[in-house]
Amino acid sequence: MKKNRKNLALLLLAASLLAGCAGQSNSQSSQSSQAKSEKKAESKAISKSAAKSAASSAVSSTKSSSSQASSKSAASSSQRADANRMGTLTSQLRVKLPGMLLPAADGLGQGSSNLNIRYTSSSSQNVVYYSVGNSPLALNDSRIANEKPYAVLTEKKNVADASSLINYQEPKTGLPAVKIASNVTGTEEGAAGSTYLQFNQGQWSFVVRASNVQGQKPLPTAQKLLALYQQYGLPDTAAKSSVQVDVGESLGSLNTVITWAKGSSVYQLKAHSMETAFKMLKSLN
């Protein structure tokens, strides 16, 4: 009897131990399964976040590219409009002033959209005034006369003695020499409160005048003038022609004066800056 009770007790103890192990195993399995589920959910969340980020980046990149393309397109359209305005006005001028040489470029760095042109014409000369206003106006609109021209192109027709209008300066001798570039030397002289620096290239004489009263020096302007000549050139001319520049550039100053002969006409371009003058003359036809 005692032996049977002992065996029963052992059996109950073994069963209890087995049940505990099974519970612990089930608990570990449950925890493992829960951990896997959490990791899977976390992985899905990360994937969704990355996808959203990539989509957002793609949209942002597309918007940026679209914005840049739009800006470039607007700038290009503006440049075309500016060029078309000069072209349109020049085409109208050619009808009004047949046979006169006219520039195709306005020579401006800015303000081309408000370019305005007026002209006068007679049997002896044509004069064209180029200006920038507050708004674009029709060719020869009366209001343009109130604007300061940045350039004036004059054609004197049927000229018997071109040299009297051109004022070409022969190379000077016996004056102090001034080196303008490695292969170009000019001469300098003072007169009436000014200093004149002259150099010659081909059929052209170049004279730069500086005011002593204002403390101006002619050399920097002469060097820039030579560089512009070498870059853009000047109109073809069979006669000796001239370039005269007063130091200092400002709107309406017309300090650059270029005069040359073409056939029986003498042309003169006055401009508020040397660069504007050379750009306009480069496009002359």
Side-chain angles (χ1 to χ4, degrees):
M1 186 70 177
K2 288 182 178 180
K3 187 177 182 179
N4 289 336
R5 286 180 179 176
K6 186 178 182 179
N7 290 337
L8 180 59
L10 290 172
L11 287 173
L12 288 173
L13 179 60
S16 177
L17 290 172
L18 288 173
C21 289
Q24 184 177 3
S25 175
N26 288 337
S27 176
Q28 290 176 346
S29 176
S30 176
Q31 289 175 355
S32 176
S33 177
Q34 184 179 357
K36 288 181 179 178
S37 296
E38 289 176 352
K39 285 185 178 180
K40 188 174 182 181
E42 184 180 356
S43 177
K44 286 183 178 180
I46 291 173
S47 297
K48 286 183 180 180
S49 177
K52 285 183 179 180
S53 177
S56 176
S57 178
V59 170
S60 177
S61 177
T62 300
K63 286 182 178 179
S64 177
S65 298
S66 176
S67 177
Q68 290 176 358
S70 177
S71 296
K72 287 181 180 179
S73 176
S76 178
S77 297
S78 176
Q79 289 173 354
R80 286 196 299 271
D82 293 348
N84 288 341
R85 178 155 183 77
M86 179 63 176
T88 298
L89 292 173
T90 301
S91 295
Q92 294 171 6
L93 269 179
R94 293 193 191 284
V95 175
K96 303 293 184 180
L97 307 173
M100 182 178 180
L101 294 174
L102 295 169
D106 60 28
L108 294 171
Q110 59 183 1
S112 297
S113 58
N114 287 334
L115 169 71
N116 290 319
I117 298 177
R118 68 182 181 91
Y119 71 92
T120 61
S121 181
S122 68
S123 59
S124 61
Q125 71 175 17
N126 299 321
V127 185
V128 182
Y129 302 85
Y130 297 83
S131 60
V132 175
N134 294 322
S135 61
L137 300 172
L139 178 68
N140 247 22
D141 189 295
S142 60
R143 290 170 289 179
I144 301 175
N146 297 321
E147 299 174 356
K148 283 186 177 181
Y150 70 84
V152 179
L153 178 63
T154 302
E155 176 194 19
K156 292 188 179 295
K157 298 179 277 187
N158 303 313
V159 176
D161 181 15
S163 61
S164 63
L165 298 173
I166 292 175
N167 196 28
Y168 171 84
Q169 300 293 308
E170 293 289 349
K172 300 289 195 302
T173 59
L175 294 173
V178 178
K179 189 173 184 179
I180 300 171
S182 59
N183 59 342
V184 178
T185 300
T187 56
E188 187 176 87
E189 65 178 326
S194 297
T195 299
Y196 295 84
L197 178 53
Q198 176 185 334
F199 62 96
N200 292 61
Q201 296 283 287
Q203 293 281 79
W204 293 85
S205 67
F206 300 79
V207 178
V208 175
R209 185 187 75 85
S211 169
N212 296 337
V213 176
Q214 298 180 38
Q216 297 173 339
K217 301 297 181 183
L219 181 57
T221 298
Q223 291 172 328
K224 181 179 178 181
L225 177 58
L226 176 61
L228 288 169
Y229 169 68
Q230 292 173 338
Q231 179 180 356
Y232 293 102
L234 283 168
D236 291 333
T237 175
K240 293 180 178 180
S241 303
S242 69
V243 179
Q244 296 173 297
V245 177
D246 283 355
V247 174
E249 298 180 349
S250 61
L251 181 62
S253 65
L254 304 180
N255 281 348
T256 296
V257 182
I258 300 174
T259 314
W260 73 101
K262 183 72 173 179
S264 62
S265 294
V266 171
Y267 284 86
Q268 184 178 83
L269 178 67
K270 296 181 178 181
H272 74 137
S273 83
M274 293 186 294
E275 187 167 5
T276 292
F278 276 89
K279 285 180 176 178
M280 293 180 76
L281 292 181
K282 178 68 174 178
S283 67
L284 202 69
N285 62 72

